[in-house]
């Protein structure tokens, strides 16, 4: 049966809101351990606890071939030299891929192959699309001066696994260097 | 391994082109049998063979959890009272769902439950999203006066089955009535 309520949704690419959909909101205090410069993090947190990002989701069905999509809003800013970022995740069902479609602002995605640790950064901007293959940890950074919004589409059965990232973090960080995003190894930044 | 070529693509929401991707182009002559008013179709075809729509696709990988996306461009116009349309299809792997994201113009999607024949029309417009559940035939109409463009995201293993539609067509048609799109049964239109 074609349930009309599940067939249609609307989103606002500027505010990052999906009409009628729940959204998770992450403030700076929710991101403890995510930024490489923990001292800069504590200084920033002492000064306030701003919203860093929100993610809403549309989940029409959960069958084998079904899909979900999310809408992310990531605000501009840095902790030390490191851009504001999402926690990042792997899919609980590792083969699940995801497409990201840039809507507003200028972002970068950090991809890390779980098996090899190989890392890459890929730009995410309006009318640009990033493909996240299966078995690949992914995180988004806002590297511009305005809010970044984007759509993510993934298999309904993908699931989100935050624990592997929370335990080991990403091997690389994305920092501003000479006014541009650059990727470097976390251990080299901490030297 | 993270192959850089598969990680990134760019599209133009106005021209309906994906940079570097192949596109299928359907002209009026390719749509014989799709419109209910075959006399109006022959008259239109005698006057010319315009492009009706094009679809490009990005297919980074074909594994179990992979995804593909397409970009459709559907021009405005009518054959009799029936709006320009795509051939429509079912997914060869029936459980596969699909998300459509409207980019430009004003469209309508016709959905038909394969098992029951239940039909619905759902608007497709900028920042609007249509969910096509599995086992549902779907076709797009341009109901506006400017080109309609949209993204479609689907499981890599979905496949396209045009044959069921070509054999039986959709049970319903979408026509302009009092300046607005309306759905009616094909057999009633032909009376």
């Amino acid at each position: 049966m074609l349930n009309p309520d599940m067939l249609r949704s609307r989103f606002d690419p500027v505010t990052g809101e999906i009409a009628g959909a729940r959204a998770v909101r992450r403030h700076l205090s929710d991101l403890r351990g995510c930024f490489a410069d923990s001292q800069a993090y504590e200084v920033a947190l002492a000064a306030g606890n701003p919203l860093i990002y929100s993610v809403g989701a549309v989940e029409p069905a959960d069958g084998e071939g079904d899909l979900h999509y999310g809408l992310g809003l990531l605000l501009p800013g840095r902790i030390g030299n490191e851009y504001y970022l999402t926690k990042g995740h792997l899919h609980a069902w590792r083969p699940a891929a995801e497409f990201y479609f840039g809507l507003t602002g200028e972002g970068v995605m950090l991809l890390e192959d779980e098996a090899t640790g190989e890392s890459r950064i890929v730009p995410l901007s309006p009318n640009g699309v990033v493909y996240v293959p299966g078995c690949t940890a992914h995180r988004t950074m806002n590297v511009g001066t305005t809010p970044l919004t984007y759509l993510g589409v993934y298999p309904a059965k993908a699931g989100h696994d935050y624990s592997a990232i929370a335990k080991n973090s990403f091997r690389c960080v994305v920092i501003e260097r000479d006014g541009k995003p650059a990727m470097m190894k976390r251990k080299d930044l901490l030297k």
Side-chain angles (χ1 to χ4, degrees), chain A:
Chain A
M1 204 198 66
L2 296 172
N3 175 355
D5 293 334
M6 74 181 281
L7 301 179
R8 190 181 179 193
S9 56
R10 284 197 72 76
F11 65 87
D12 185 323
V14 176
T15 65
E17 289 171 347
I18 302 170
R22 66 180 177 78
V24 174
R25 293 164 63 85
R26 301 287 185 203
H27 291 79
L28 187 58
S29 62
D30 298 314
L31 297 176
R32 186 174 296 279
C34 293
F35 294 98
D37 187 339
S38 56
Q39 192 173 351
Y41 174 80
E42 297 302 340
V43 169
L45 191 58
N49 188 23
L51 179 70
I52 306 297
Y53 68 95
S54 68
V55 183
V58 169
E59 304 172 345
D62 291 311
E64 181 68 15
D66 284 309
L67 301 171
H68 294 173
Y69 82 85
L71 174 52
L73 164 75
L74 176 55
L75 294 167
R78 293 198 308 274
I79 298 296
N81 290 327
E82 195 175 6
Y83 297 103
Y84 277 8
L85 46 71
T86 62
K87 285 189 175 188
H89 61 272
L90 284 148
H91 291 141
W93 180 50
R94 289 291 195 273
E98 183 164 1
F99 271 121
Y100 280 77
F101 297 91
L103 297 173
T104 69
E106 295 299 322
V108 156
M109 293 196 68
L110 174 62
L111 308 184
E112 181 179 307
D113 185 313
E114 186 183 23
T116 65
E118 181 191 3
S119 300
R120 287 193 181 271
I121 53 174
V122 188
L124 180 66
S125 57
N127 305 326
V129 186
V130 177
Y131 191 64
V132 181
C135 305
T136 304
H138 46 292
R139 150 178 288 178
T140 309
M141 274 71 52
N142 185 334
V143 300
T145 56
T146 59
L148 173 75
T149 62
Y150 53 92
L151 297 166
V153 186
Y154 47 95
K157 65 187 256 192
H160 291 73
D161 175 1
Y162 294 98
S163 61
I165 304 300
K167 191 175 170 199
N168 298 320
S169 198
F170 285 79
R171 295 192 190 191
C172 290
V173 296
V174 182
I175 60 165
E176 185 184 74
R177 191 161 52 193
D178 303 329
K180 289 184 299 191
M183 183 174 78
M184 61 184 298
K185 289 187 178 166
R186 181 178 304 272
K187 60 183 173 59
D188 292 338
L189 186 71
L190 296 176
K191 273 176 187 165

